[in-house]
């Protein structure tokens, strides 16, 4: 199967190299009107160098984001299960040849301990992350770990959605993974550029480009209909990666009745211990300004796909990117197995983080920027996945469900973890949000908040 046609992508990018401003504006107008963009439109947007015109791209992305996702930002935390890995990715500290890394795989007791800490920070949604290893991250172990995560209780709090980022599997194994009750299955192609891919993944099962690029076909065949794709920006030309990722989206939509990926992730290459390749020596390091435009263009090209931003990025840049189309963020993250309960981290982490703030501080910051921190996990539990989620998103009805859920789950967070100061800022933002809602949604939302204040937990529609 070859749905990534490199030649076609290169020729689209070559054609766009000297795009006239009139053509760039035409593509921008099309994006604003909500029309689906062609690869050539996207290449035209990515060819914009003029700062004012770029600002217009950012503004258009902001409008689209607000119209579809409203003001909410969904919070999650990664939970690293193991840093054992048989692959040798040039950019990752978990690579097999990194002998200095302290290797660890969490026991079920340790997982329980980590989850307790994350629950005490207010998290309700976790992303389990694992290196690729036949025994240390075997499917049985993943299943047992998911069961453990869901079983932990702290007062009224529990983890209500477990997503997973792990190596590609066979269709049969994906059926088993689905039976464990996962939300989204994530796996990033890293780079869609075949030659670069082979170079940066010199050995191990990950060396096989096709096995990886077809991973979501197998996951969706197995009935996992919320999948998350991504590229690791900084390995190859970001414009190539964006067009290729859009080809991947189109392929999945064509094959699975209009259902594309539920989310895309946009990690950028960060320095990692003993990793030969990083942003200081890669020829394709993505500068902040280009990264901002990349995020905005992605938002315009696939308006209905959630976009995830991790703590790899610095707080100042995160603040700006929220506005250009981010819908989910991690906060308070650790990238070493056991990192939430251990005091030393430096020899077991996957890569360096840019945002070290605790969850509470990120919540406060997000709130002061006018967003509603959301701890919602409703869709997957209400069966709104795959085509049901897509039709909800495409009818722009996401706001009628997600905003009330965001407000109710945030109220629960405030009740359990907020302080006076946070409640004061929240009150104003929440009132403004409800005032913007049409009836009966506004009334319904007030009821949900009231029920939460009276002590009900996990209130959602
Ligand atoms: N081992 C599995 C895999 O590679 O697909 C899943 C987990 S891996 C720990 C998760 C992701 O971390 C990778 O897909 C890659 O994009 C990202 N990553 C690895 N090294 C990185 C680095 N130095 N900077 C930023 N992200 C990195
Ligand atoms: Fe292993 Fe994943 Fe790191 Fe590659 S990115 S070395 S596969 S953990």
């Amino acid at each position: 199967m070859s749905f990534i046609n490199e030649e076609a992508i290169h020729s689209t990018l070559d054609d766009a190299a000297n795009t006239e401003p009139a053509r760039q504006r035409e593509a921008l107008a099309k994006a604003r009107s909500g029309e689906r963009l062609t690869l050539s439109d996207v290449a035209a947007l990515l060819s914009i160098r003029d700062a004012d015109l770029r600002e217009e791209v950012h503004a258009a992305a902001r409008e689209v984001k607000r119209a579809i996702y409203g003001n909410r930002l969904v919070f999650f935390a990664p939970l690293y299960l193991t840093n054992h890995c048989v692959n040798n990715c040039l950019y990752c500290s978990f690579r097999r040849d990194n002998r200095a890394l302290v290797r660890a795989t969490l026991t079920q007791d340790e997982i329980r301990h980590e989850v307790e800490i994350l629950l005490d920070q207010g998290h309700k949604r976790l992303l389990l992350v694992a290196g690729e290893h036949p025994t240390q991250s075997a499917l049985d172990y993943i299943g047992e770990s998911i069961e453990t995560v869901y079983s932990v209780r702290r007062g009224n709090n529990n983890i209500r959605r477990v997503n997973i980022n792990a190596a590609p599997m066979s269709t049969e194994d994906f059926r088993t993974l689905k039976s464990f009750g996962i939300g989204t299955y994530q796996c990033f192609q890293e780079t869609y550029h075949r030659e670069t891919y082979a170079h940066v993944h010199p050995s191990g099962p990950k060396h096989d480009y096709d096995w990886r690029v077809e991973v979501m076909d197998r996951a969706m065949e197995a009935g996992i209909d919320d999948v998350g794709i991504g590229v690791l920006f900084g390995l190859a030309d970001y414009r190539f990666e964006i067009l290729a990722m859009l080809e991947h989206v189109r392929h999945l939509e064509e094959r699975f009745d209009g259902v594309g990926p539920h989310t895309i992730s946009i990690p950028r290459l960060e320095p990692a211990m003993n990793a030969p390749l990083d942003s200081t020596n890669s020829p394709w390091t993505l500068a902040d300004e280009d990264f901002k435009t990349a995020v905005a263009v992605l938002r315009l090209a696939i308006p209905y796909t959630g976009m995830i931003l991790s703590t790899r990025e610095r707080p100042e840049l995160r603040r700006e990117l929220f506005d250009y189309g981010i819908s989910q963020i991690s906060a308070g993250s650790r990238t070493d197995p056991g990192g939430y309960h251990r005091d030393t981290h430096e020899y077991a982490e996957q890569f360096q983080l840019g945002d070290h703030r605790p969850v509470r501080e990120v919540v406060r910051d997000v709130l002061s920027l006018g967003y509603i921190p959301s701890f919602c996990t409703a869709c997957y539990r209400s069966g709104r996945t795959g085509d049901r989620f897509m039709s909800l998103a495409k009818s722009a009805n996401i706001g009628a469900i997600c905003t009330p859920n965001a407000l109710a789950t945030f109220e629960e967070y405030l009740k359990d973890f907020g302080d006076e100061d946070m409640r004061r800022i929240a009150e104003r933002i929440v009132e403004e949000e409800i005032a913007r809602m049409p009836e009966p949604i506004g009334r319904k939302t007030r009821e949900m908040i009231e029920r939460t204040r009276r002590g009900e937990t996990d209130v959602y529609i």
Side-chain angles (χ1 to χ4, degrees):
M1 200 192 308
S2 164
F3 49 83
I4 305 296
N5 183 340
E6 291 199 9
E7 253 175 60
I9 295 173
H10 282 305
S11 99
T12 309
L13 287 172
D14 288 345
D15 290 348
N18 298 311
T19 309
E20 297 290 326
R23 169 74 185 104
Q24 294 169 335
R25 282 193 180 283
E26 183 194 302
L28 191 54
K30 201 168 158 187
R32 273 210 196 93
S33 74
E35 229 184 292
R36 179 100 192 213
L37 301 180
T38 62
L39 280 198
S40 148
D41 294 327
V42 175
L45 292 177
L46 291 170
S47 71
I48 296 174
R49 292 278 157 271
D50 176 76
D52 291 342
L53 206 48
R54 274 197 176 201
E55 199 31 64
E56 286 189 42
V57 174
H58 299 167
R62 195 178 293 136
E63 276 169 38
V64 167
K65 189 213 158 173
R66 297 253 155 136
I68 296 176
Y69 296 87
N71 268 338
R72 78 193 210 289
L73 277 174
V74 175
F75 275 61
F76 75 96
L79 172 54
Y80 278 67
L81 297 177
T82 180
N83 59 10
H84 283 272
C85 194
V86 291
N87 293 310
N88 231 340
C89 311
L90 294 189
Y91 45 79
C92 179
S93 71
F94 293 176
R95 61 200 306 268
R96 193 196 59 200
D97 285 356
N98 184 6
R99 309 274 174 231
L101 188 85
V102 178
R103 304 275 169 179
T105 301
L106 297 185
T107 63
Q108 300 305 313
D109 273 345
E110 286 172 322
I111 293 174
R112 222 165 276 125
H113 195 175
E114 295 273 287
V115 173
E116 284 169 359
I117 293 169
L118 289 161
L119 284 172
D120 289 349
Q121 294 174 0
H123 283 295
K124 303 283 186 291
R125 173 190 290 244
L126 297 188
L127 171 69
L128 302 191
V129 186
E132 179 164 9
H133 198 281
T135 56
Q136 302 296 320
S137 56
L139 193 54
D140 287 354
Y141 168 74
I142 290 178
E144 206 186 332
S145 306
I146 293 171
E147 205 179 315
T148 300
V149 171
Y150 279 133
S151 73
V152 181
R153 293 280 180 287
R154 289 292 265 187
N156 287 323
N157 291 320
N158 61 316
I159 295 299
R160 299 169 186 166
R161 178 177 177 132
V162 173
N163 299 332
I164 182 148
N165 186 326
M169 300 175 196
S170 65
T171 309
E172 202 186 322
D173 283 353
F174 274 129
R175 282 204 188 91
T176 309
L177 184 69
K178 180 181 161 69
S179 74
F180 298 148
I182 58 157
T184 309
Y185 168 71
Q186 283 187 358
C187 183
F188 309 151
Q189 183 60 26
E190 321 297 10
T191 173
Y192 286 92
H193 191 262
R194 205 175 267 272
E195 198 185 318
T196 308
Y197 186 92
H199 171 67
V200 299
H201 305 114
S203 62
K206 195 163 170 179
H207 182 69
D208 186 344
Y209 180 102
D210 293 312
W211 178 248
R212 197 162 178 99
V213 86
E214 290 165 15
V215 60
M216 296 315 177
D217 290 84
R218 295 191 300 278
M220 290 177 84
E221 273 165 27
I224 298 180
D225 47 15
D226 278 357
V227 300
I229 63 171
V231 290
L232 180 54
F233 283 118
L235 299 178
D237 183 347
Y238 76 100
R239 295 163 309 155
F240 177 91
E241 303 287 27
I242 288 177
L243 295 200
M245 185 146 61
L246 295 176
E247 284 294 86
H248 195 175
V249 172
R250 189 185 50 78
H251 163 77
L252 294 174
E253 286 179 345
E254 273 172 17
R255 237 198 112 188
F256 298 98
D257 296 328
V259 180
H262 186 64
T263 54
I264 58 166
S265 296
I266 49 166
R268 269 200 306 183
L269 195 56
E270 300 296 337
M273 171 202 191
N274 288 343
L277 183 68
D278 67 26
S279 49
T280 61
N281 62 14
S282 168
W284 294 110
T285 294
L286 184 56
D288 285 358
E289 284 311 309
D290 290 337
F291 189 40
K292 289 178 202 169
T293 304
V295 170
V297 170
L298 278 167
R299 177 41 71 236
L300 294 172
I302 34 175
Y304 306 109
T305 308
M307 204 173 344
I308 303 178
L309 184 68
S310 76
T311 54
R312 288 173 181 84
E313 304 300 339
R314 305 178 317 277
E316 315 78 74
L317 187 63
R318 281 186 14 124
R319 284 187 195 109
E320 214 174 323
L321 293 174
F322 295 159
D323 223 18
Y324 301 157
I326 301 301
S327 54
Q328 287 188 33
I329 60 169
S330 49
S333 306
R334 289 282 180 201
T335 66
D336 49 326
Y340 296 106
H341 75 270
R342 287 197 187 113
D343 292 335
T344 49
H345 306 281
E346 50 281 16
Y347 301 114
E349 275 178 334
Q350 195 194 5
F351 45 76
Q352 274 177 29
L353 296 176
D355 185 349
H356 301 271
R357 297 171 300 166
V359 183
R360 172 193 291 270
E361 220 175 286
V362 182
V363 167
R364 191 188 303 274
D365 190 30
V366 156
L367 197 60
S368 67
L369 293 168
Y371 299 101
I372 310 153
S374 172
F375 295 86
C376 181
T377 55
C379 269
Y380 150 72
R381 291 151 77 222
S382 305
R384 287 189 296 266
T385 60
D387 54 348
R388 295 179 65 192
F389 177 81
M390 283 293 160
S391 59
L392 181 76
K394 289 184 182 164
S395 62
N397 263 332
I398 236 178
I401 291 182
C402 300
T403 312
N405 284 342
L407 290 168
T409 55
F410 179 49
E411 187 61 40
E412 194 177 340
Y413 174 89
L414 278 177
K415 197 159 63 65
D416 292 338
F417 308 101
D419 53 30
E420 268 316 302
D421 183 38
M422 197 187 281
R423 286 201 190 92
R424 198 176 31 78
I425 315 173
E427 206 169 309
R428 182 175 48 82
I429 306 273
V430 171
E431 278 308 319
E432 283 171 8
E433 203 59 48
I434 296 180
R436 274 197 291 272
M437 288 176 165
E439 290 307 341
I441 301 169
R443 207 170 48 244
K444 175 88 196 145
T445 306
R446 268 192 209 287
E447 274 168 32
M448 290 166 70
I449 292 178
E450 273 313 311
R451 281 165 57 199
T452 307
R453 282 191 186 144
R454 285 199 300 270
E456 234 182 285
T457 53
D458 202 9
V459 175
Y460 65 90
I461 40 176

